[in-house]
Amino acid sequence: MSQTPKQPPSVQANPWQKLRRYTDARIALGRVGDSLPTQAHLEFQLAHARARDAVHLPLDYQLLKRQLDGFGLSSLLLHSQAKDRATYLQRPDLGRLLDDSSLQQLQTYQAGHKFGYDVAIVITEGLSSLAIETNACKLLEVLLPALDNSKLSLAPLSIVTQGRVAVADAIGQSLNAKLVLILVGERPGLSSPDSMGAYLTFQPEVGTPDSKRNCLSNIREGGLSPQEATKRLLYLIQQALGRGYTGVDLKDETEVEGGQLGQNFLLPSSK
Amino acid sequence: MAQFGTTLGYQRYHFDNLATLLAKASPLRSGDQLAGIAATSMQERVAAQLTLADLPLKTFLQQPVIPYESDEVSRLIIDSHDASAFAPISHLTVGDFRNWLLQYETDSATLAAVAAGITPEMAAAVSKIMRIQDLILVASKCEVVSRFRNTIGLKGTMSTRLQPNHPTDDPAGVAASVLDGLLYGNGDAVIGINPATDNLQAVTGLMNMLDDVIQHYQIPTQSCVLTHVTTHIEAISRGAPVDLVFQSIAGTEKANDGFGVSLAILDEAWDAAKSLKRGSIGNNCMYFETGQGSALSANAHFGVDQQTCEARAYAVARRYQPLLVNTVVGFIGPEYLYDGKQIIRAGLEDHFCGKLLGLPMGCDICYTNHAEADQDDMDMLLTQLAAAGVNFIMGIPGSDDIMLNYQTTSFHDARYARQLLGLSAAPEFERWLSELQITDQAGRLMITDQLPPAFSQQLRSELESS
């Protein structure tokens, strides 16, 4: 028998681990042969387990409503036709439709307010309640004053339970809004279970195709900041109202802000 | 009066039209159930499959599943059908066609010769009566090769799209993932980034960045920023370095309208891309993505099952002689493909149908966190697709797309499949990996504690300890 001490199998680390300061991507994981080392493999399994659990975490609608009331706008609590999470996940068609009592609620509201609005804002948890809890109010804190400065009239805020993007169409239509903006929790990623999306639709009506919308995604800490999202949304809103459309024909041509983490270090700096 | 039917024991099964027959014959998936067109019992499904097996292939030329008059994809399928290529199989039923595909005599050359005679509906129909092993075996006999700056799809190769997505398109963040991928031997199909927005300035910035990297390191590959086709046209008109023009496509005119495209718009984009002549060894310059369920999600399926709709998207792709066609199989979510079993079958069907129709098929082997699937399911699909000769898969750091929030195959996964089955990257890219001392003569990764010389000087200051 050999007396040499037993060595652990050699995991080859990668000499570019320092680049992780530029990205949350799982770079420089190292390898055993061609495969993932045990530690990196199990870290992934944990992240997946967390994201799976996040999909089923319920949103506290009453808390959100109280927070929105703090903005001094009235808010409506509405429901899609997807009654629970399981239905929501398997029936996107139901998540796009409001239930009867919600339609009634909107009609009753609008009956008392005969005029229309420039913009209606809708909030729904989508696939991540965490996204809305973390980001919706932060964005509105910046966006609402900006809309106000631009002299745009705002419909009451609508919260929809178990909603999909297209649920905003019926709301915008009922409230007689020129444009509807929906904030929705995006599908939770392993490293970003809290990412929020924002979709804009001009002249919303039930059945509007997705190509008639503009989208901003990744609104979250570490993604698009509330300030940058507001800047882009304001540009798109003003363009949409001016031109009379949203969708693939409306290009986001705002100047890209600086403040990026860094330059492309793969090239000499003269590039 | 039902047009199609069969009797099993004492039970008579009727199918009103071809679309219904195809839908009922389709292996179970949640999207067809959502659409209300799936078979309602397992026996009804097999009854439909038996009926389908007796159907002459010619029927699909006589009865479009969506009317010729109302759908430009139907018109494309019928008008571009090559009758002389079809001649050798024109006498077959769907069931005979399966047997014909599996016989020894039907080899790569035979399959290439009939490809233009096969319609999407014929491919979809035969796939519905094939097992997984049939889908793998027949696809593995097809060889579809495409070229831009390298050769993709040769037997014995499996390429990867290096997908360096970053939530804010930060240049350093993108560069970090590009480097990681290259040093793991990935990126020969394309270095292709999904931008966080369609913002024209951001998109052209990324186009320039990827082009600069490819030129500086003389990488035999191509770049793509996966933005809308009209944004590509705009970028080209402003002089941006566009290698591949990208677009998501679907199998009906209305679903494509939902994506904001038509054949006319795609024609315009193809012309614009071809005119740049940026390919060094070929001019396959389109990159399409597809996926079962896209037509239904746009409410544009017209009672046609999602797998047949998907195959019809390949007729759209085929018009443009693409470099890459990628079925993004598990991205759409559990309402269309519920779990690992459904995702795996769909990925293999798509790859088979695409290859049979003569397309350079790859697959984004993927799932979302709200689907009933995990890494084990993806390993099964990856292994089976690699055995089936898939042209390319995705490569991403640690399987985690931090921008699109889903999981696809990692740089390591691609290396696993190559190691297991003795596959290599595209030959030009494989040589580059060797020249840059990323891999050794045996194709194994050789980087240990130092970066290869081509990168070490440039990255010295980035990697110095602070």
Side-chain angles (χ1 to χ4, degrees):
Chain A
M1 281 293 265
S2 163
Q3 292 302 305
T4 51
K6 289 180 181 169
Q7 296 290 323
S10 57
V11 171
Q12 179 59 57
N14 295 136
W16 56 92
Q17 292 180 30
K18 281 182 182 296
L19 299 179
R20 284 193 196 145
R21 69 181 181 276
Y22 293 129
T23 180
D24 291 333
R26 290 165 197 260
I27 62 165
L29 294 178
R31 60 188 178 86
V32 276
D34 280 327
S35 302
L36 272 187
T38 301
Q39 187 66 28
H41 157 58
L42 290 177
E43 281 169 8
F44 180 99
Q45 296 299 98
L46 176 61
H48 182 235
R50 284 184 173 146
R52 291 285 290 148
D53 288 345
V55 170
H56 297 279
L57 187 76
L59 180 67
D60 187 340
Y61 303 107
Q62 295 304 335
L63 175 65
L64 179 63
K65 191 167 188 318
R66 284 198 300 277
Q67 289 170 336
L68 295 182
D69 289 343
F71 289 113
L73 282 164
S74 53
S75 60
L76 306 167
L77 182 55
L78 308 170
H79 308 278
S80 82
Q81 290 185 15
K83 292 296 162 214
D84 53 45
R85 207 61 181 152
T87 309
Y88 178 79
L89 289 175
Q90 291 176 56
R91 293 292 304 271
D93 53 331
L94 298 182
R96 295 184 193 119
L97 300 170
L98 286 175
D99 70 6
D100 289 342
S101 72
S102 298
L103 283 171
Q104 190 67 47
Q105 198 183 336
L106 283 171
Q107 280 162 11
T108 307
Y109 181 90
Q110 200 50 22
H113 302 76
K114 285 290 178 200
F115 45 87
Y117 307 92
D118 291 318
V119 182
I121 298 178
V122 180
I123 302 170
T124 190
E125 77 270 52
L127 287 167
S128 170
S129 57
L130 203 56
I132 296 302
E133 267 175 32
T134 316
N135 301 299
C137 288
K138 278 187 196 156
L139 174 65
L140 293 178
E141 276 168 17
V142 186
L143 179 64
L144 292 178
L147 292 173
D148 200 42
N149 281 342
S150 306
K151 311 279 181 234
L152 295 172
S153 61
L154 265 186
L157 299 169
S158 304
I159 304 168
V160 185
T161 67
Q162 312 281 7
R164 302 248 171 196
V165 170
V167 81
D169 295 341
I171 298 170
Q173 197 172 10
S174 300
L175 293 176
N176 197 12
K178 290 179 190 160
L179 192 91
V180 70
L181 166 67
I182 182 167
L183 306 178
V184 56
E186 298 181 327
R187 48 178 61 176
L190 294 191
S191 306
S192 53
D194 61 345
S195 179
M196 185 173 79
Y199 291 78
L200 273 175
T201 311
F202 183 79
Q203 228 165 51
E205 54 184 20
V206 173
T208 300
D210 287 341
S211 60
K212 303 274 187 200
R213 307 185 202 285
N214 287 86
C215 167
L216 278 189
S217 65
N218 272 293
I219 301 169
R220 66 179 176 94
E221 175 118 23
L224 207 56
S225 68
Q227 290 74 20
E228 181 69 7
T230 293
K231 186 180 149 192
R232 295 208 188 165
L233 285 172
L234 206 59
Y235 171 85
L236 288 169
I237 288 169
Q238 286 167 337
Q239 290 292 316
L241 292 172
R243 300 180 188 206
Y245 56 83
T246 46
V248 295
D249 293 330
L250 174 58
K251 303 293 182 203
D252 175 7
E253 296 187 27
T254 50
E255 293 291 310
V256 176
E257 284 287 311
Q260 289 168 322
L261 292 171
Q263 296 302 306
N264 173 15
F265 51 76
L266 292 173
L267 298 175
S269 49
S270 61
K271 277 280 182 183
Chain B
M1 186 64 192
Q3 203 180 348
F4 307 99
T6 192
T7 303
L8 297 183
Y10 296 107
Q11 175 80 41
R12 181 77 191 161
Y13 291 91
H14 298 286
F15 308 100
D16 284 341
N17 54 47
L18 202 48
T20 303
L21 178 63
L22 287 165
K24 299 279 189 186
S26 213
L28 177 68
R29 61 210 54 194
S30 51
D32 291 336
Q33 291 179 310
L34 176 64
I37 57 177
T40 51
S41 72
M42 292 169 91
Q43 284 193 68
E44 187 190 24
R45 177 168 297 112
V46 180
Q49 290 170 344
L50 286 162
T51 309
L52 192 58
D54 286 339
L55 195 75
L57 288 179
K58 279 179 185 160
T59 315
F60 295 104
L61 298 173
Q62 294 150 359
Q63 301 182 30
V65 292
I66 299 173
Y68 182 92
E69 295 71 24
S70 61
D71 185 281
E72 68 173 3
V73 179
S74 290
R75 290 195 289 280
L76 172 66
I77 291 167
I78 297 298
D79 295 347
S80 64
H81 184 252
D82 183 335
S84 62
F86 182 58
I89 54 171
S90 62
H91 59 294
L92 300 178
T93 61
V94 174
D96 291 334
F97 187 36
R98 175 182 171 278
N99 292 331
W100 182 86
L101 290 168
L102 290 165
Q103 68 186 4
Y104 291 138
E105 293 76 12
T106 302
D107 59 12
S108 294
T110 322
L111 288 164
V114 299
I118 299 171
T119 67
E121 289 83 357
M122 295 176 197
V126 74
S127 78
K128 293 178 195 300
I129 60 164
M130 291 168 83
R131 280 172 52 193
I132 294 266
Q133 62 166 270
D134 305 337
L135 298 171
I136 293 172
L137 185 63
V138 177
S140 79
K141 294 202 273 185
C142 299
E143 186 179 41
V144 182
V145 177
S146 58
R147 294 177 179 86
F148 192 77
R149 293 199 190 101
N150 57 16
T151 313
I152 296 167
L154 293 170
K155 293 234 183 213
T157 68
M158 185 187 76
S159 298
T160 55
R161 165 185 165 196
L162 199 172
Q163 185 171 311
N165 293 349
H166 186 276
T168 58
D169 296 336
D170 181 77
V174 172
S177 289
V178 169
L179 181 76
D180 200 58
L182 292 174
L183 297 185
Y184 273 97
N186 279 238
D188 52 331
V190 60
I191 301 178
I193 186 164
N194 297 88
T197 70
D198 266 348
N199 178 294
L200 195 62
Q201 190 196 352
V203 163
T204 53
L206 288 169
M207 288 170 171
N208 281 308
M209 175 185 166
L210 295 181
D211 187 53
D212 288 345
V213 170
I214 287 172
Q215 290 199 27
H216 182 78
Y217 294 96
Q218 297 180 29
I219 312 170
T221 190
Q222 35 282 329
S223 69
C224 186
V225 177
L226 283 74
T227 185
H228 193 268
V229 72
T230 53
T231 309
H232 277 282
I233 294 171
E234 185 66 30
I236 289 172
S237 78
R238 296 192 186 191
V242 174
D243 288 346
L244 305 183
V245 165
F246 166 83
Q247 182 57 46
S248 293
I249 53 170
T252 71
E253 180 178 339
K254 187 179 172 192
N256 282 324
D257 189 48
F259 283 135
V261 296
S262 62
L263 296 179
I265 293 173
L266 293 172
D267 286 353
E268 184 190 344
W270 190 32
D271 285 342
K274 277 190 298 189
S275 72
L276 297 179
K277 295 192 168 57
R278 293 174 55 84
S280 53
I281 65 165
N283 208 15
N284 300 116
C285 54
M286 299 296 280
Y287 173 12
F288 293 115
E289 287 191 349
T290 65
Q292 291 190 26
S294 59
L296 174 60
S297 87
N299 193 27
H301 62 295
F302 302 102
V304 179
D305 69 90
Q306 67 183 35
Q307 191 251 336
T308 302
C309 283
E310 169 73 6
R312 285 169 55 93
Y314 304 154
V316 177
R318 186 156 67 168
R319 177 178 173 88
Y320 303 102
Q321 300 164 26
L323 184 78
L324 308 165
V325 179
N326 178 23
T327 172
V328 190
V329 68
F331 187 75
I332 194 164
E335 57 272 34
Y336 304 93
L337 294 166
Y338 183 69
D339 56 12
K341 183 177 172 70
Q342 294 187 7
I343 292 171
I344 289 168
R345 166 105 199 165
L348 292 163
E349 288 168 348
D350 294 351
H351 176 252
F352 161 80
C353 288
K355 282 283 174 73
L356 199 60
L357 293 168
L359 287 172
M361 286 304 291
C363 183
D364 190 336
I365 299 162
C366 64
Y367 65 108
T368 61
N369 287 317
H370 59 309
E372 294 294 323
D374 60 20
Q375 293 295 88
D376 286 345
D377 296 305
M378 299 305 107
D379 287 346
M380 288 191 269
L381 180 53
L382 167 61
T383 307
Q384 293 166 9
L385 278 170
V390 70
N391 281 27
F392 66 100
I393 62 170
M394 306 305 108
I396 199 162
S399 290
D400 175 8
D401 189 317
I402 59 171
M403 207 285 277
L404 294 175
N405 293 335
Y406 77 122
Q407 285 88 251
T408 181
T409 41
S410 67
F411 302 137
H412 293 75
D413 290 339
R415 298 211 60 86
Y416 144 78
R418 285 177 182 165
Q419 182 189 141
L420 178 74
L421 297 168
L423 305 171
S424 57
E428 300 85 351
F429 191 83
E430 199 70 48
R431 275 195 295 279
W432 179 84
L433 290 173
S434 171
E435 281 164 19
L436 267 73
Q437 300 173 37
I438 294 169
T439 55
D440 65 16
Q441 291 306 309
R444 290 185 170 185
L445 293 174
M446 59 184 288
I447 300 171
T448 54
D449 298 332
Q450 297 295 322
L451 286 182
F455 295 94
S456 59
Q457 180 68 29
Q458 178 62 34
L459 276 109
R460 181 161 300 152
S461 62
E462 289 292 337
L463 300 178
E464 270 168 4
S465 18
S466 48

